Amino acid sequence: MNSTPQLLSEHACFGGVQRFYQHASREIGLPMRFSVFLPPQAEQGKVPALLYLAGLTCTEETFMVKAGAQRMAAELGLALIAPDTSPRGANVPGEAESWDFGTGAGFYLDASQAPWSSHYRMESYLTAELLPLLTNTLPLDVERIGIFGHSMGGHGALTLALRHPALFKSVSAFAPICAPSQCPWGRKAFAGYLGADESRWLAHDATALMNGRASAPFPGGILIDQGLADPFLAEQLHPHLFEAVCASAGQPLTLRRHAGYDHSYYFIATFMADHIGHHARLLEA
């Protein structure tokens, strides 16, 4: 399979174009799929881009189909990028046994434990391969890239932004897993991908990464929306822990709690325009 992205489908959308691609990934060692929305402004020159990371069990299609982001992205001239959530077809023993680990649950990190370390390299895939590939082949401005996501993808957005502040100029999240080393989803994933030494987990935990910072890594602010009817809030998400370390570090954080909203894309679609606007302001600044 050729490493050049193969266009699988293309759809006119709000004056721009919605595309779905497949390519042979060097970092993953397998074919990977991703989707891109290019706004109409991309016909005139390079545009800012937002990388969206989806949650457990999702694919590169979930966000583009369900979130309702293209209309405002087209109005504001923002491209949207959505990768898959894990390698597919790695044939690692156990990768398909549970919905919260393995296939569809890559947690946006590079696994260090065999057999996962051979293919489960989502952090390097995104930062060292996919984004360079797209900024070199599409009219995307490499100096204006933001990142956001939902649940596991919210965890990914926060941690990758904090680990790669020179790459990402803005960050937001919907119902993120804010302290994965302190919740069942994260502990299961980290033990499998990173091993039993819990001190190594902290490099992929947004609350731990923000803790003890002497200055704000994102002075323009971080936006998080959380539904109070989210069934995973109490056990898995822990936004109050991230809120506390942001306050200690002087990191501006807008953490909005919404009565009645759950963990679904109905919640995400409701507040999507606010997130698109948040990134547009920071990427234009």
Side-chain angles (χ1 to χ4, degrees):
M1 178 181 166
N2 195 317
S3 60
T4 303
Q6 174 191 2
L7 182 63
L8 301 177
S9 65
E10 182 176 87
H11 315 273
C13 186
F14 295 107
V17 61
Q18 175 67 57
R19 294 174 178 168
F20 295 91
Y21 291 95
Q22 179 172 282
H23 76 127
S25 168
R26 175 189 72 249
E27 291 289 346
I28 301 294
L30 293 164
M32 290 292 288
R33 294 193 177 200
F34 62 90
S35 57
V36 177
F37 170 73
L38 292 174
Q41 295 87 339
E43 295 184 2
Q44 309 303 320
K46 291 187 176 182
V47 296
L50 300 183
L51 176 66
Y52 178 88
L53 306 181
L56 293 163
T57 74
C58 295
T59 72
E60 76 285 352
E61 294 184 334
T62 310
F63 169 76
M64 295 301 187
V65 172
K66 292 185 175 183
Q70 291 96 332
R71 180 192 295 272
M72 190 168 182
E75 292 174 1
L76 296 176
L78 294 173
L80 304 170
I81 304 163
D84 203 348
T85 51
S86 78
R88 306 276 171 174
N91 296 320
V92 176
E95 71 174 356
E97 288 181 1
S98 57
W99 63 275
D100 56 358
F101 182 75
T103 302
F107 270 81
Y108 305 105
L109 51 77
D110 289 356
S112 59
Q113 297 296 297
W116 308 98
S117 54
S118 296
H119 298 293
Y120 280 69
R121 298 177 45 79
M122 291 298 293
E123 178 173 8
S124 290
Y125 169 65
L126 294 173
T127 61
E129 183 175 11
L130 183 62
L131 285 177
L133 173 67
L134 295 183
T135 54
N136 285 330
T137 57
L138 294 175
L140 308 179
D141 186 349
V142 69
E143 299 297 326
R144 293 188 293 165
I145 297 179
I147 186 168
F148 66 147
H150 169 235
S151 195
M152 176 185 72
H155 141 76
L158 295 174
T159 57
L160 293 185
L162 292 170
R163 288 169 60 82
H164 303 274
L167 179 56
F168 299 109
K169 303 300 190 294
S170 59
V171 58
S172 72
F174 298 90
I177 305 171
C178 288
S181 62
Q182 301 183 55
C183 76
W185 280 343
R187 292 183 64 83
K188 179 177 180 178
F190 287 177
Y193 295 138
L194 303 175
D197 182 356
E198 296 188 17
S199 66
R200 300 183 64 184
W201 301 0
L202 302 182
H204 302 280
D205 182 307
T207 295
L209 286 167
M210 184 65 74
N211 190 31
R213 297 255 179 161
S215 61
F218 289 91
I222 296 171
L223 173 61
I224 293 177
D225 279 301
Q226 175 63 60
L228 292 179
D230 189 324
F232 304 113
L233 175 57
E235 184 179 31
Q236 304 282 11
L237 305 180
H238 301 323
H240 64 288
L241 298 179
F242 187 69
E243 184 178 38
V245 293
C246 283
S248 297
Q251 169 61 55
L253 171 68
T254 301
L255 172 54
R256 307 191 302 183
R257 296 170 169 91
H258 305 280
Y261 285 90
D262 60 19
H263 201 69
S264 71
Y265 270 80
Y266 300 110
F267 155 67
I268 293 170
T270 300
F271 301 105
M272 179 55 65
D274 295 341
H275 285 249
I276 299 292
H278 165 81
H279 289 278
R281 288 190 296 274
L282 293 173
L283 296 178
E284 288 297 329

